[in-house]
Amino acid sequence: MAVVNQYKFAGIDNSTSGSALVPLGTGNPLVNETYIIKSILVTSAGTPTVTVLNNSITVIKSAQLTANTSKELLTQPLIVEGGSAFTIQSSTTDSFDFAVSFLNILKEKID
């Protein structure tokens, strides 16, 4: 089995959602992947609070944003294991954009 490290970036330019957003895509990471998230950078036109969930566990609760200012949510890397759900949600429907920088550790089976 080979391990492949890929540095990746995912972002969502979201104009009006108060619902949970899935920045890494539905069903990601896959079972044979592990993501190490280094940065979650958020920007909002309003002043919502942001909640981040990793596999239905709240890892960041009600981080307050300032209008028209970018804010880094992480102070330490966050591990998202394969088969887990990772979501970010705003408390309001203001314009809310975010960017996630992460390392994808992909375990490939070589025949």
Side-chain angles (χ1 to χ4, degrees):
M1 181 177 303
V3 175
V4 177
N5 293 334
Q6 300 171 325
Y7 293 94
K8 294 191 170 192
F9 171 85
I12 293 182
D13 178 5
N14 182 46
S15 58
T16 58
S17 177
S19 60
L21 301 172
V22 184
L24 306 176
T26 304
N28 284 323
L30 301 174
V31 174
N32 63 334
E33 296 176 310
T34 299
Y35 293 169
I36 300 175
I37 298 176
K38 176 66 176 147
S39 173
I40 301 174
L41 190 62
V42 294
T43 305
S44 179
T47 56
T49 58
V50 176
T51 301
V52 177
L53 290 103
N54 182 1
N55 207 25
S56 301
I57 303 297
T58 303
V59 293
I60 298 173
K61 177 78 171 162
S62 303
Q64 184 66 47
L65 300 182
T66 303
N68 301 316
T69 304
S70 296
K71 180 176 183 176
E72 174 59 54
L73 296 183
L74 290 181
T75 57
Q76 296 290 321
L78 176 65
I79 308 296
V80 181
E81 296 178 340
S84 299
F86 177 77
T87 60
I88 298 176
Q89 183 168 2
S90 168
S91 64
T92 66
T93 57
D94 291 327
S95 177
F96 171 68
D97 301 339
F98 60 89
V100 179
S101 296
F102 62 101
L103 170 63
N104 177 8
I105 302 171
L106 175 63
K107 296 170 276 299
E108 292 183 333
K109 187 174 182 179
I110 298 174
D111 296 324

